[in-house]
Amino acid sequence: MKAKHQRLTLGLLAVAAIVGAAVLALSALRDQASFFYSPSDLARDHVSTDKHIRLGGMVVTGSVAKLSDGVTTRFAVTDNVDQITVVYRGILPDLFREGSGVVAEGHLAPGGGFVADNILAKHDERYMPPQVAGAMHKTKSLDK
Amino acid sequence: MPSIHALANPTRFLKIARPATPVCFWSGVALMLFAAWGGLTRTPPDYLQGETVRIMYIHVPAAWLGLGGWAGLATASFVYLVWRHPLAALAARAIAVPGALFTALCLVTGSIWGRPTWGTWWQWDGRLTSMLLLFFVYLAYLALNRADAERGGDGRIPALFGIAGSVLLPIIHYSVVWWNTLHQGQSIGLTGSTIDASMLWPLWYAMAGFTLFFTGIVLMRMRTMLAVQKVEARMRRMARG
């Protein structure tokens, strides 16, 4: 075997080893690397109420309500399996919409529900002009 | 493999690179300007984000070059390790600096985009974190390359690092699929795009323009490195007298 071929074989083996290592590491990371809990994660796993976590999902249409103090908002977050009520006192981001994605940072309330101290808006991968937005949910996501 | 040897001949490379450099560079600049004009004045605002969406015409090509740059760097490193062509090592070195710069540009524009849309400059989600790692890996490659050159190394260790670093590319790409992230899923795939056609077209010009511009810079850097090598060789000959 010529030295060049030996190096080629070694090189390809090295690439295969690197890819293998990455796959193993990532499959072990799977859940730990997620940015937020979904409502059904919270229903399944027992997360302590004093643990600061992120909750992500869609804002349920029709669920957003301002409380009587004028600065607290209450809304429900769903992942189409489970649903959880979030209470947040503060200014909501501009892109916070019913039926749109949201990530709430905070903790579970002892009596159920979620108390958020920060709200992030999450938008999806669809971009379109306002005129087409009426036909919005007719465009499909790529990975679904 | 005679074809690769032919390409690796520096004289032949220079013969092609000399006219190709200005062509790539200036056509890249022209396409970028055209894309900027189209993206700023000829596309509608987004239904949700409004005018903010226009930063996409810089952010997406910058991300593409950050990732594509490393893919090129890793390929060149592989060719250098297996076939020992000095020109491949040169190409990998020439890609590293612009690659790092475009990765940084992607991170900065992403941060500026994130503030008005998500409501945050930075979050440690899978996509953002893995892209930041790629930037650090570029910096590590540059440092390793310099250290290797100073110690009179033959560039094999940086080349190995270049190949190992490509592990990040699939991680960055699939981060939004494997994990739930703040960053949205991919908008452009092999099967089509979820960006409305009226907003998508300048993006293609921007991608092509950025890529040509990048190629022009890489060719420029390779020619500079070859010229430096030539000067150093001549100095050594003169010193020997």
Side-chain angles (χ1 to χ4, degrees):
Chain A
M1 193 149 73
K2 275 182 11 192
K4 189 167 70 187
H5 292 132
Q6 204 169 353
R7 288 200 300 267
L8 182 59
T9 320
L10 271 175
L12 291 175
L13 278 176
V15 171
I18 289 166
V19 170
V23 168
L24 284 177
L26 290 174
S27 60
L29 252 174
R30 200 128 203 149
D31 286 338
Q32 274 77 12
S34 278
F35 186 63
F36 51 76
Y37 287 93
S38 67
S40 48
D41 289 337
L42 290 178
R44 195 181 54 239
D45 309 338
H46 291 282
V47 180
S48 157
T49 52
D50 46 51
K51 202 173 157 197
H52 196 260
I53 57 167
R54 295 192 199 93
L55 159 73
M58 294 301 229
V59 180
V60 177
T61 309
S63 73
V64 180
K66 272 264 186 287
L67 299 193
S68 53
D69 65 353
V71 286
T72 308
T73 315
R74 190 178 56 205
F75 56 94
V77 171
T78 180
D79 58 354
N80 296 324
V81 182
D82 277 292
Q83 188 169 323
I84 186 165
T85 305
V86 178
V87 179
Y88 170 67
R89 194 184 145 90
I91 300 165
L92 291 162
D94 290 350
L95 258 63
F96 178 87
R97 305 278 158 93
E98 294 188 343
S100 195
V102 71
V103 176
E105 297 179 314
H107 57 88
L108 287 168
F114 190 86
V115 181
D117 49 44
N118 191 28
I119 297 285
L120 302 172
K122 181 171 156 56
H123 63 85
D124 66 13
E125 64 280 17
R126 288 170 302 204
Y127 303 86
M128 67 201 90
Q131 304 90 288
V132 228
M136 197 174 134
H137 292 291
K138 284 172 192 159
T139 40
K140 287 264 190 307
S141 297
L142 287 181
D143 52 334
K144 271 156 208 160
Chain B
M1 232 182 259
S3 57
I4 282 184
H5 283 287
L7 268 175
N9 180 329
T11 325
R12 204 160 306 167
F13 166 77
L14 280 175
K15 219 162 133 188
I16 302 166
R18 210 169 285 136
T21 309
V23 170
C24 287
F25 188 88
W26 291 112
S27 61
V29 169
L31 278 175
M32 286 194 294
L33 288 175
F34 178 70
W37 169 79
L40 287 174
T41 67
R42 285 290 167 267
T43 55
D46 183 58
Y47 77 106
L48 196 61
Q49 305 180 25
E51 308 290 344
T52 318
V53 75
R54 302 186 194 282
I55 204 165
M56 163 172 87
Y57 304 114
I58 300 177
H59 179 72
V60 176
W64 147 246
L65 284 180
L67 296 172
W70 195 276
L73 191 156
T75 310
S77 298
F78 188 83
V79 169
Y80 174 66
L81 276 182
V82 174
W83 289 282
R84 291 288 151 80
H85 288 314
L87 210 54
L90 213 65
R93 262 201 294 152
I95 290 171
V97 170
L101 276 175
F102 278 100
T103 308
L105 183 68
C106 167
L107 290 166
V108 169
T109 52
S111 182
I112 295 171
W113 197 358
R115 185 64 191 86
T117 48
W118 300 336
T120 179
W121 295 105
W122 183 263
Q123 286 291 325
W124 295 100
D125 91 331
R127 173 57 70 79
L128 277 60
T129 310
S130 55
M131 200 64 188
L132 182 66
L133 276 178
L134 179 67
F135 178 63
F136 290 151
V137 165
Y138 266 116
L139 296 189
Y141 176 86
L142 287 167
L144 190 62
N145 222 321
R146 173 161 297 189
D148 184 71
E150 271 170 12
R151 298 185 58 172
D154 58 0
R156 253 185 294 173
I157 292 167
L160 275 173
F161 185 80
I163 294 173
S166 53
V167 162
L168 268 177
L169 301 183
I171 297 179
I172 295 171
H173 182 80
Y174 288 108
S175 56
V176 292
V177 180
W178 290 335
W179 307 312
N180 58 44
T181 51
L182 184 60
H183 194 285
Q184 70 284 3
Q186 62 166 350
S187 292
I188 300 170
L190 293 175
T191 50
S193 167
T194 53
I195 303 172
D196 191 79
S198 61
M199 305 164 82
L200 183 63
W201 65 269
L203 191 56
W204 297 125
Y205 290 101
M207 301 271 263
F210 270 68
T211 310
L212 282 167
F213 180 75
F214 188 89
T215 314
I217 289 174
V218 169
L219 288 176
M220 223 181 276
R221 286 175 56 79
M222 286 178 75
R223 285 170 60 198
T224 311
M225 288 171 180
L226 281 172
V228 169
Q229 280 180 358
K230 207 186 255 175
V231 169
E232 280 172 353
R234 190 165 297 170
M235 299 277 266
R236 270 199 298 275
R237 271 204 305 278
M238 279 166 69
R240 271 198 304 260

